[in-house]
Amino acid sequence: MPNLTPKSSQDYQKLLTSQLQNREQQLKKSRFLSLVKKKTPRLVRQGINVVHSIADPILCQSYQKQHGWDRPIPPLQLRIITSDRTIDGYVKSGKSIVDSFAEELKKCGLALDRFRNILDFGCGAGRQIQYMSGYRQANLTGCDPNEAHIKWLSKSYPGANFYRTNFNPPLPFADKSFDLIYSVSVFTHLSEKLQYDWLKELKRVLKPQGIALLTTLGEYAAKRNDILGINRHLYEQLIAEDLVFKLTPGTRSLNKFINPKALVEEEMYGLTYHSQKYIAENWSKYFEVVNIVPGCISNLQDLVILQK
């Protein structure tokens, strides 16, 4: 595999500005939906969740029949933790993410279907697995701390291998096991200490010149959340501090399921924002930072392309 040429910070800033301008109308629509959700009483939302859970198996079968979808769809209680709660959202978001992987790799002169040993780090409910499993040439492995996700994926995709792993390293794999590692919405929740621990561990299990595709919340997401009114002045805070890690009521609640043994904040599941400058200066201690593509994952997360 060839060594890739890193992109400049100027390229990132130009693309960041372009992405925000092009998606202004989408952001306005998202703001409206966010306000509607905030105004919906909590008991009403809980009631809707109960109805959805009861009807979900029927809805899954109906969706598969109507759309000719022959791949497994996880139940609502598994989708809702790490994915879109809707069936259509789960299916389409997975395709969008894998398409983004393929597109950005192609720009680097690489083809997604050329990788042989692939790790989905933090595979969750299998949003990407449902599409990556279609690459028949690949030996596909997934790992996640959630035991229910791993049990469901192991049953649903017997051709791949799945492992329940801890919130902290190490991974149960030998050195230089994979030529591609991808991870969606994992480094968006790790403290600074944990991200360094995991970067070191991913480097260990990645082959020389191997590629890692990791998503982060960057300037694009911070500015987007400012516009939506989700978190005021977050963009300015990120520019000033370069790394923002915080615990919210939502992340504290999820931490009970994801890492219940955590005793200190830096071991907990939080919400993390990285500036492009921070990644260029710090992640480069572990990998070559080839490119950072703002907002290309689900119109929110940046895609960081790394090479060992």
Side-chain angles (χ1 to χ4, degrees):
M1 187 179 298
N3 287 320
L4 305 180
T5 304
K7 297 290 175 43
S8 69
S9 60
Q10 289 86 352
D11 292 334
Y12 176 84
Q13 292 300 328
K14 289 179 182 178
L15 190 53
L16 172 64
T17 301
S18 174
Q19 294 279 62
L20 286 168
Q21 290 174 344
N22 292 340
R23 291 172 175 171
E24 184 177 359
Q25 292 302 317
Q26 288 177 290
L27 292 177
K28 288 180 179 178
K29 181 180 178 181
S30 296
R31 183 176 187 179
F32 171 76
L33 294 175
S34 178
L35 289 172
V36 169
K37 184 177 180 180
K38 284 183 178 180
K39 296 295 184 181
T40 304
R42 182 179 179 183
L43 288 177
V44 173
R45 295 200 303 269
Q46 291 176 340
I48 293 173
N49 287 340
V50 171
V51 173
H52 279 178
S53 296
I54 295 172
D56 191 65
I58 299 173
L59 294 174
C60 287
Q61 292 178 6
S62 176
Y63 183 93
Q64 289 173 314
K65 183 177 181 180
Q66 181 178 354
H67 296 272
W69 187 247
D70 60 353
R71 297 173 195 178
I73 299 173
L76 177 62
Q77 62 267 31
L78 296 185
R79 293 197 311 270
I80 201 171
I81 298 175
T82 60
S83 178
D84 193 307
R85 65 177 300 119
T86 68
I87 299 168
D88 194 55
Y90 170 83
V91 172
K92 290 182 178 178
S93 65
K95 183 178 188 304
S96 173
I97 291 168
V98 173
D99 285 350
S100 293
F101 288 168
E103 180 181 352
E104 297 306 325
L105 284 172
K106 185 177 180 181
K107 292 177 183 177
C108 296
L110 300 172
L112 186 56
D113 60 5
R114 291 181 57 189
F115 294 94
R116 294 295 179 265
N117 297 290
I118 300 175
L119 173 64
D120 186 331
F121 176 64
C123 53
R127 268 192 306 177
Q128 291 76 245
I129 292 290
Q130 61 184 323
Y131 293 95
M132 294 300 298
S133 63
Y135 289 91
R136 302 299 182 185
Q137 87 293 341
N139 298 312
L140 189 60
T141 300
C143 64
D144 196 271
N146 189 295
E147 185 174 2
H149 282 150
I150 294 303
K151 285 183 176 179
W152 183 84
L153 286 168
S154 297
K155 181 179 179 180
S156 300
Y157 294 94
N161 298 301
F162 298 97
Y163 298 82
R164 182 189 176 279
T165 50
N166 295 321
F167 197 67
N168 303 74
L171 293 171
F173 311 121
D175 295 356
K176 306 173 185 178
S177 292
F178 305 101
D179 45 17
L180 175 67
I181 297 173
Y182 66 84
S183 181
V184 178
S185 297
V186 173
F187 284 83
T188 55
H189 299 289
L190 300 180
S191 68
E192 186 170 37
K193 177 186 180 300
L194 276 175
Q195 69 169 310
Y196 288 151
D197 290 346
W198 278 117
L199 286 171
K200 181 180 179 180
E201 180 67 359
L202 293 183
K203 180 180 179 181
R204 180 185 71 80
V205 300
L206 191 63
K207 294 180 180 180
Q209 296 187 327
I211 299 295
L213 305 175
L214 311 181
T215 72
T216 60
L217 294 168
E219 288 92 335
Y220 179 87
K223 177 67 77 173
R224 178 183 184 273
N225 286 352
D226 280 351
I227 294 172
L228 295 176
I230 295 173
N231 197 330
R232 298 292 186 184
H233 309 299
L234 179 58
Y235 178 79
E236 289 78 7
Q237 183 184 2
L238 180 59
I239 295 301
E241 300 178 11
D242 288 324
L243 178 73
V244 176
F245 173 73
K246 55 186 177 181
L247 301 174
T248 68
T251 63
R252 288 182 185 276
S253 176
L254 285 171
N255 191 74
K256 297 176 183 177
F257 301 97
I258 296 173
N259 193 28
K261 296 181 180 180
L263 299 176
V264 295
E265 288 192 356
E266 68 178 11
E267 294 179 352
M268 293 183 180
Y269 180 91
L271 194 59
T272 312
Y273 290 80
H274 301 79
S275 72
Q276 184 264 347
K277 175 186 173 185
Y278 180 92
I279 290 173
E281 291 180 352
N282 294 280
W283 289 21
S284 57
K285 299 172 184 176
Y286 302 89
F287 297 95
E288 187 78 53
V289 180
V290 177
N291 198 12
I292 306 174
V293 188
C296 80
I297 301 297
S298 304
N299 188 24
L300 178 64
Q301 298 186 31
D302 293 359
L303 179 63
V304 183
I305 303 175
L306 305 170
Q307 184 173 39
K308 181 174 177 179

